[in-house]
Amino acid sequence: MFQRHFFSALAGLTLLAGAAAPATAQGSRSLDTIRARGELVCGTSPDLPGFAFLNEKGEFAGLYIDFCKALGAAILGDAKKVRYVPTTYANRLTALQSGEIDLLSSNTTWTMPREASLGLQFTGVLFYDGQGFLVSKKLGVKTPRDLDGASVCVQPGTTTEKNLADYFRANGMKLNPVIIESVEEIRNALTAGRCDAFTVGTSTLAAFREGLGGRKDEYVVLPDLISKEPLGPVVRKGDERFFDVVRWTQNAMILAEEFGIDSGNVEARMKDTQPDVQRLLGTTDDFGAMLGLKRDWAVQVIRQVGNLREVWDRHVAPMGLPRGRNALYTEGGLNYAPPIR
């Protein structure tokens, strides 16, 4: 009897030990496709200075673009192996659903319906935003409540459009929406006086204002926000391994900033004796294998693209946007990455 119970218990412990053993990387249709293709296909915006736009050289640049480059470095070992597909507010989600793009890295708000009913999944928050208003200084508007009866430019098919209607209705204000999809057309409508204001996330408003060139000082972004707009990369549901890679690439960039590791010192930090640093850089443990990536995947991301602060300073800071809630949690912001261990 004792022998039987002993061996039963031993078998149970063996099963538990097997369950607790380190997991190996599962297969990923998306990763297999990207590797066979030799490039990551990233859907993004072409007209958001600082975030995703075509620069004077005709190259895509910005915060969202650098994140795609980071994924290219993590998956393929080369940040240049990314193809960018310009998307609009109207077609961006269908382009992802159809498989035209591997992921969407743009000004896309994380909402429940987009995850619960569209077969899509947000991997994290790349930019903590909120919806605001850009107005001409000569109107003398100080807060959104001063816009009662105003004509407001807004893009169709966005959370922005619904937020705008909700805000005016909740405050008993009259709204005259001017529905325009093209950013260039909105710019023309605003400067021509057809719209009293333009509403969208403050990141887009800052980029839009930069695009006004010599006239940008005639306009101001109101300080009040009317919504929460967590913006982040989006992938299709059903490929957990690819989801993990996208999420942990962002986490690696956050952790690198937290540990003071950047593109300029990553080589020297490979000799660091701090366990958290060693695990991130793969010098003591191969956590990359769990993601189906090479051991030095995070090193490639940091070396070729940089940490989160480097990306911010490269693209967003020059526009005068304070980091605020997009800073690390240690600096009063919301960026907080789980540990690699």
Side-chain angles (χ1 to χ4, degrees):
M1 178 71 71
F2 171 79
Q3 232 178 12
R4 186 167 65 250
H5 286 308
F6 173 79
F7 285 114
S8 295
L10 185 61
L13 288 171
T14 303
L15 288 172
L16 286 173
T24 56
Q26 301 170 356
S28 166
R29 183 179 304 151
S30 296
L31 290 177
D32 290 344
T33 299
I34 291 166
R35 287 179 176 129
R37 189 196 297 132
E39 63 179 5
L40 171 78
V41 181
C42 179
T44 192
S45 300
D47 51 12
L48 293 173
F51 294 89
F53 72 110
L54 284 167
N55 62 21
E56 62 279 358
K57 297 180 181 178
E59 301 170 339
F60 276 94
L63 174 72
Y64 302 136
I65 301 303
D66 272 8
F67 184 68
C68 293
K69 290 180 179 180
L71 286 171
I75 298 169
L76 299 169
D78 190 343
K80 296 179 181 178
K81 291 185 177 180
V82 182
R83 175 161 54 91
Y84 303 99
V85 175
T87 60
T88 66
Y89 283 101
N91 72 9
R92 57 188 172 165
L93 299 180
T94 54
L96 181 58
Q97 290 171 316
S98 68
E100 180 184 348
I101 57 179
D102 297 318
L103 83 154
L104 179 64
S105 184
S106 182
N107 267 28
T108 308
T109 303
W110 186 350
T111 66
M112 188 186 76
R114 285 174 174 169
E115 282 200 333
S117 64
L118 297 182
L120 305 177
Q121 196 163 18
F122 287 76
T123 61
V125 179
L126 197 55
F127 188 87
Y128 292 92
D129 205 354
Q131 185 172 332
F133 293 86
L134 179 77
V135 300
S136 171
K137 289 180 179 178
K138 65 183 179 182
L139 293 178
V141 171
K142 301 299 181 185
T143 75
R145 294 204 178 194
D146 295 332
L147 292 171
D148 189 12
S151 298
V152 183
C153 274
V154 62
Q155 292 171 298
T158 63
T159 57
T160 304
E161 187 178 11
K162 186 177 188 305
N163 292 339
L164 176 66
D166 286 349
Y167 179 80
F168 272 69
R169 183 171 58 252
N171 288 284
M173 298 162 56
K174 181 182 178 182
L175 171 65
N176 296 308
V178 180
I179 311 298
I180 304 176
E181 181 172 342
S182 165
V183 170
E184 189 58 39
E185 288 183 30
I186 290 175
R187 187 174 290 116
N188 293 335
L190 189 69
T191 55
R194 183 181 168 197
C195 300
D196 298 312
F198 173 37
T199 185
V200 71
T202 57
S203 58
T204 302
L205 290 180
F208 180 90
R209 184 173 175 272
E210 284 292 310
L212 292 173
R215 298 194 60 181
K216 70 178 183 180
D217 290 334
E218 298 176 24
Y219 295 85
V220 62
V221 178
L222 298 180
D224 304 79
L225 302 179
I226 66 170
S227 73
K228 293 187 296 184
E229 303 296 328
L231 310 175
V234 198
V235 298
R236 289 180 294 277
K237 281 186 177 178
D239 192 334
E240 289 79 8
R241 179 57 61 230
F242 184 54
F243 172 89
D244 289 343
V245 168
V246 179
R247 166 177 279 182
W248 282 96
T249 295
Q250 181 178 346
N251 286 339
M253 297 173 77
I254 295 171
L255 289 170
E257 178 181 351
E258 182 178 345
F259 299 153
I261 307 171
D262 58 37
S263 57
N265 68 17
V266 65
E267 305 298 337
R269 295 297 297 275
M270 297 281 285
K271 300 175 183 178
D272 202 300
T273 58
Q274 183 181 346
D276 284 339
V277 171
Q278 292 176 331
R279 286 190 286 264
L280 173 64
L281 302 182
T283 57
T284 57
D285 297 280
D286 188 2
F287 283 91
M290 296 182 183
L291 298 172
L293 303 177
K294 291 184 177 180
R295 188 186 191 108
D296 68 343
W297 65 281
V299 173
Q300 295 301 329
V301 170
I302 301 165
R303 178 188 292 146
Q304 298 183 46
V305 181
N307 65 32
L308 192 59
R309 179 180 291 277
E310 288 181 274
V311 174
W312 180 278
D313 289 347
R314 188 182 302 138
H315 301 294
V316 185
M319 296 194 303
L321 270 181
R323 191 147 181 210
R325 71 189 76 182
N326 288 288
L328 292 183
Y329 75 102
T330 54
E331 299 174 358
L334 298 175
N335 271 312
Y336 182 104
I340 297 178
R341 66 168 181 261

